[in-house]
Amino acid sequence: MSSPHSKSEAVEAVLAAFDEGRTPERSVYRAAVRALLTLLAERVPGRSVEVRIPPYGAVQCVPGPRHTRGTPPNVVEMDPQTWVETATGRLGWAEAVTQGRVRMSGTRADLSAHLPL
């Protein structure tokens, strides 16, 4: 997948569902989340931070010390709606963190420099 994921049909469909106050179809939601995670990993390659969007996916990104076993020291986790909104710029990183919509640990877990995609 090397197309511009943020413009993918799945992302567009999910954003349209949000605008209409609907919950996106599960398969479309999953495709949008994974497309945006893939784009993050492509733009910020590395293995020092794990970004988790349960139940749809997770990627490792951000240059730095590589994690190999157990729970990574730098973890970012959020729900799918928060991920899509922050990745597309509809919700600012700082606002999402302040609202408690992002759970993160570790010194490299701040993704503000990398979002929106």
Side-chain angles (χ1 to χ4, degrees):
M1 292 170 111
S2 60
S3 63
H5 302 295
S6 62
K7 299 295 183 189
S8 75
E9 290 179 22
V11 173
E12 297 290 330
V14 168
L15 293 174
F18 291 166
D19 290 345
E20 296 166 7
R22 296 183 295 111
T23 300
E25 291 180 35
R26 185 173 175 85
S27 62
V28 175
Y29 218 167
R30 178 178 51 246
V33 166
R34 289 181 178 175
L36 292 166
L37 283 171
T38 299
L39 184 58
L40 176 66
E42 288 172 355
R43 289 195 178 170
V44 192
R47 299 181 67 70
S48 70
V49 176
E50 185 166 289
V51 179
R52 300 174 180 169
I53 314 300
Y56 298 126
V59 294
Q60 292 186 349
C61 57
V62 181
R66 182 172 179 221
H67 165 73
T68 56
R69 296 184 141 198
T71 301
N74 298 289
V75 175
V76 175
E77 186 172 313
M78 65 191 90
D79 64 83
Q81 182 170 352
T82 301
W83 169 242
V84 171
E85 289 178 344
T86 57
T88 60
R90 287 194 170 194
L91 176 66
W93 175 259
E95 184 179 2
V97 170
T98 300
Q99 292 176 358
R101 296 175 63 179
V102 176
R103 292 166 300 290
M104 58 183 176
S105 63
T107 58
R108 296 177 178 273
D110 181 356
L111 297 180
S112 61
H114 311 296
L115 297 174
L117 299 170

